[in-house]
Amino acid sequence: MFLGADLAGIRAMIGASDMITHQNGLLARTTRAAKPSSEDKVRERERLRRELLQRILDREIRRQAVRGARL
């Protein structure tokens, strides 16, 4: 087995979806990972939204604390 085939197998296992080049110059399309359900998407979006809002609040609190220390 040659290196290109090994890479194709590895990418197929991890769900990569881009084109790869084998040593002999042929292109092969790897498989796509299974798409998450819409419920999973909504939960993940909400989790990311909460995380982002928490980071924004933390940054603003730190900024105001620094500003208060300067006054």
Side-chain angles (χ1 to χ4, degrees), residues 20 33 37:
I20 60 171
S37 71

Side-chain angles (χ1 to χ4, degrees), residues 37-53:
S37 71
S38 60
E39 280 184 21
D40 291 341
K41 286 181 183 180
V42 170
R43 268 197 302 267
E44 179 68 5
R45 188 180 300 123
E46 283 301 313
R47 185 189 68 79
L48 291 171
R49 181 181 162 277
R50 284 191 305 272
E51 183 180 317
L52 178 60
L53 288 173

